[in-house]
């Protein structure tokens, strides 16, 4: 890569034996802007370094990059935030075909967060999310930021709209949570060609989109703690799950109120209809169960809601589990009962002391385990890290790695997710012990 931190020694710190071949994630810093591939020993074995012009947002948006692999030929769909926002590359970093670029270099209608390979039709296409800025009367800010689900046909470089969040959510009736990292304004060019500094609220913060198991798309709205199932035939919303009492009607009732998710990332639907996600938990309310879990994180108290607290210990940790400290993050799987219209937590991984304020992903490995990424962790040394865990079917970690950020700046280098690939360019499994 030409970056000493990436090339000289193992970049990641490993504990245990990881079951993936290569782990892909984004990094920027030291004149590197792009994506790296790590082997199970922590070495960087692949890199895609695009230009800062293509990688960095031109409108002051939150960092949001993603990569996915086309299964038919091991090429890659890459989401960036600059001039080229959706591009196809081969494993050697050579661009294939035309990249999708917005109408204006500083367009308000920029892509964000998602690159999902849709193989459900004969013609493989790419799902992403596009910002849309609307002006409403009687809202706290003059403009409101939402998102559209869009589909990119990389063969002819066309983009089509599939769904707009404003079709089902109105900022005048829904009160959403504002991501504290959002700057409150974007310097961008409207669809009408007017460049300005637009004051706006980050109303929905849609952060993932994927195909589902029932002729549907899944769209995640982080700011409203909502998951929407959208019919592919454009007939509308199939169902909604929302956990905050903010004006959105949820079609499902939680079997256990303590199992609700908050401010989630990376929602996917499995073949059996279950959904998986990263439950970030930024606005998780203070409940007995969450207080138990917070106490367990700092002092080892069992989170079963039955064991009595140690009064002396509680005095030592006054405030643990209140509204300012009840947040924890976890990977979750939920069962959706379409007869009873209930949702039930059936699997989780919630390592003690882990709270990722942004991002996260969950990926299936060929050995049956899952690869869980918590990308925004502050280490004991004050540095920023991504903690990546291989987790078994019982929710137990069998191995993990800690991957430092490259630029170590929450403003520019924020990674959001990671995924495993079995091969980078069609090669067979290689012997990692030689590194």
């Amino acid at each position: 890569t030409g970056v000493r931190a990436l090339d000289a020694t193992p970049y990641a710190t490993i504990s245990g034996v990881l079951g993936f071949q290569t782990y892909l994630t984004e990094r920027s810093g030291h004149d590197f802007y792009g994506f790296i591939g790590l082997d199970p020993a922590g070495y960087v074995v692949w890199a895609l370094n695009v230009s800062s012009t293509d990688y960095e947002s031109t409108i002051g948006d939150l960092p949001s990059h993603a990569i996915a692999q086309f299964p038919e030929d091991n090429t890659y769909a890459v989401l960036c935030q600059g001039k080229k926002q959706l591009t196809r590359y081969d494993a050697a970093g050579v661009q294939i075909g035309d990249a999708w670029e917005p109408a204006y270099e500083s367009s308000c209608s920029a892509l964000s967060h998602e690159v999902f390979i849709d193989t459900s039709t004969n013609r493989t296409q790419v799902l992403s999310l596009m910002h849309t800025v609307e002006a409403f009367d009687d809202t706290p800010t003059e403009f409101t930021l939402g998102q559209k689900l869009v589909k990119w046909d990389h063969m002819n470089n066309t983009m089509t709209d599939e769904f707009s969040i404003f079709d089902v959510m109105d900022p005048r009736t829904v009160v959403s949570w504002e991501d504290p990292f959002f700057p409150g304004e974007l310097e961008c060019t409207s669809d009408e060609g007017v460049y300005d500094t637009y004051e706006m609220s980050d109303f929905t913060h849609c952060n993932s989109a994927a195909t589902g198991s029932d002729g549907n798309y899944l769209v995640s709205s982080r700011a409203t703690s909502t998951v929407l199932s959208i019919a592919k035939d454009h007939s509308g919303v199939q169902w909604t799950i929302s956990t905050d009492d903010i004006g959105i009607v949820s079609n499902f009732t939680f079997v256990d109120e303590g199992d609700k998710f908050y401010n989630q990332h990376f929602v996917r639907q499995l073949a059996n209809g279950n959904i998986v996600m990263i439950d970030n938990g930024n606005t998780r309310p203070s409940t007995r169960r969450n207080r138990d879990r917070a106490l367990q994180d700092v002092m080892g108290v069992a989170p079963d809601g039955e064991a009595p607290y140690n009064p002396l210990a509680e005095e030592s940790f006054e405030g643990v589990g209140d509204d300012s400290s009840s947040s924890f993050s976890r990977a979750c799987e939920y069962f959706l009962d379409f007869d009873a219209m209930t949702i039930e937590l059936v699997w989780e991984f919630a390592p003690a002391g882990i709270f990722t304020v942004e991002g996260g992903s969950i990926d299936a490995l060929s050995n049956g385990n899952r690869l869980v990424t918590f990308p925004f962790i502050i280490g004991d040394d004050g540095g920023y890290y991504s903690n990546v865990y291989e987790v078994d079917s019982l929710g137990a970690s069998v191995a993990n790695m800690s991957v430092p950020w490259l630029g170590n700046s929450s403003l520019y280098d924020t990674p959001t997710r990671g995924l495993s690939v079995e091969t980078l360019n069609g090669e067979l499994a290689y012997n990692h012990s030689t590194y």
Side-chain angles (χ1 to χ4, degrees):
T1 67
V3 178
R4 181 174 177 79
L6 296 176
D7 298 338
T9 60
Y11 184 59
T13 302
I14 308 297
S15 176
V17 180
L18 291 160
F20 60 80
Q21 284 294 309
T22 309
Y23 173 81
L24 305 183
T25 188
E26 71 268 39
R27 285 296 184 274
S28 67
H30 303 286
D31 294 324
F32 182 90
Y33 303 92
F35 301 83
I36 59 173
L38 295 163
D39 75 358
Y43 286 88
V44 175
V45 295
W46 179 85
L48 174 64
N49 191 1
V50 302
S51 68
S52 60
T53 303
D54 290 337
Y55 190 81
E56 294 181 335
S57 173
T58 60
I59 61 175
D61 197 8
L62 296 176
S64 175
H65 310 86
I67 187 170
Q69 188 181 63
F70 288 95
E72 64 267 25
D73 60 4
N74 304 311
T75 58
Y76 299 88
V78 170
L79 170 71
C80 291
Q81 295 179 283
K83 183 178 181 181
K84 298 177 182 178
Q85 298 199 351
L86 264 180
T87 311
R88 189 175 189 179
Y89 292 97
D90 66 17
V94 177
Q95 180 177 324
I96 302 172
D98 294 327
W100 186 85
E101 301 178 12
Y104 306 99
E105 187 171 332
S106 57
S107 177
C108 300
S109 299
L111 296 180
S112 178
H113 281 91
E114 187 61 86
V115 54
F116 180 89
I117 308 296
D118 181 6
T119 59
S120 62
T121 61
N122 291 333
R123 190 181 182 93
T124 301
Q125 298 187 64
V126 179
L127 298 181
S128 190
L129 294 162
M130 180 184 290
H131 286 331
T132 178
V133 179
E134 302 286 346
F136 294 87
D137 295 330
D138 302 321
T139 52
T141 55
E142 182 179 0
F143 296 95
T144 302
L145 178 63
Q147 286 76 36
K148 296 187 294 185
L149 172 65
V150 295
K151 182 180 287 187
W152 181 50
D153 187 331
H154 60 89
M155 299 299 291
N156 56 26
N157 196 27
T158 56
M159 192 77 72
T160 56
D161 294 351
E162 294 294 312
F163 168 79
S164 173
I165 197 69
F166 286 129
D167 292 342
V168 294
M169 291 189 190
D170 189 328
R172 294 164 294 189
T173 59
V174 173
V175 180
S176 64
W177 169 73
E178 186 87 8
D179 190 313
F181 287 94
F182 185 71
E185 62 185 26
L186 294 178
E187 299 179 1
C188 57
T189 304
S190 69
D191 291 345
E192 292 73 33
V194 180
Y195 179 84
D196 203 346
T197 299
Y198 295 92
E199 181 187 3
M200 63 183 70
S201 61
D202 187 16
F203 172 50
T204 53
H205 199 124
C206 294
N207 58 18
S208 76
T211 55
S213 60
D214 187 29
N216 61 320
Y217 301 118
L218 285 189
V219 175
S220 163
S221 167
R222 166 172 162 82
T224 64
S225 297
T226 298
V227 176
L228 296 154
S229 176
I230 313 299
K232 283 186 176 182
D233 63 6
H234 301 111
S235 59
V237 177
Q238 294 178 330
W239 47 261
T240 301
I241 303 170
S242 190
T243 59
D244 279 339
D245 185 17
I246 56 174
I248 298 174
V249 176
S250 180
N251 302 121
F252 287 83
T253 301
F254 279 80
V255 173
D256 185 335
E257 290 288 307
D259 291 338
K260 287 183 173 180
F261 56 82
Y262 296 90
N263 319 111
Q264 71 287 342
H265 277 83
F266 205 84
V267 180
R268 299 292 190 257
Q269 189 167 35
L270 307 180
N272 64 4
N274 290 5
I275 58 174
V276 295
M277 68 177 67
I278 298 297
D279 170 17
N280 292 82
N282 301 70
T283 62
R284 196 184 312 279
S286 178
T287 64
R288 172 60 190 250
R289 174 172 179 173
N290 293 338
R291 182 176 171 82
D292 285 347
R293 186 187 295 276
L295 283 166
Q296 181 199 35
D297 286 350
V298 297
M299 54 180 285
V301 174
D304 56 10
E306 302 294 334
Y309 290 117
N310 180 336
L312 295 178
E314 281 198 80
E315 290 176 6
S316 301
F317 295 96
E318 184 177 356
V320 171
D322 63 17
D323 287 339
S324 63
S325 60
S326 60
S327 296
F328 60 88
S329 299
R330 60 184 175 176
C332 299
E333 180 180 346
Y334 292 98
F335 166 66
L336 305 183
D337 187 331
F338 286 91
D339 295 322
M341 296 306 291
T342 57
I343 176 173
E344 181 179 6
L345 182 71
V346 294
W347 179 91
E348 71 169 353
F349 174 64
I354 289 297
F355 172 59
T356 182
V357 66
E358 299 275 358
S361 58
I362 179 170
D363 194 17
L365 297 178
S366 58
N367 63 8
N369 292 337
R370 288 169 169 167
L371 202 63
V372 175
T373 299
F374 299 115
F376 201 125
I377 304 298
I378 301 176
D380 293 338
D381 61 356
Y384 293 95
Y385 295 85
S386 297
N387 285 7
V388 183
Y389 300 86
E390 182 173 340
V391 186
D392 66 19
S393 61
L394 300 178
S397 174
V398 299
N400 65 81
M401 68 177 176
S402 177
V403 189
W405 293 15
L406 185 56
N408 209 36
S409 165
S410 61
L411 179 61
Y412 299 108
D413 189 42
T414 309
T416 56
R417 55 175 64 175
L419 77 155
S420 66
V421 293
E422 288 296 303
T423 178
L424 288 167
N425 192 28
E427 75 282 351
L428 300 176
Y430 48 91
N431 183 3
H432 304 289
S433 65
T434 60
Y435 286 94

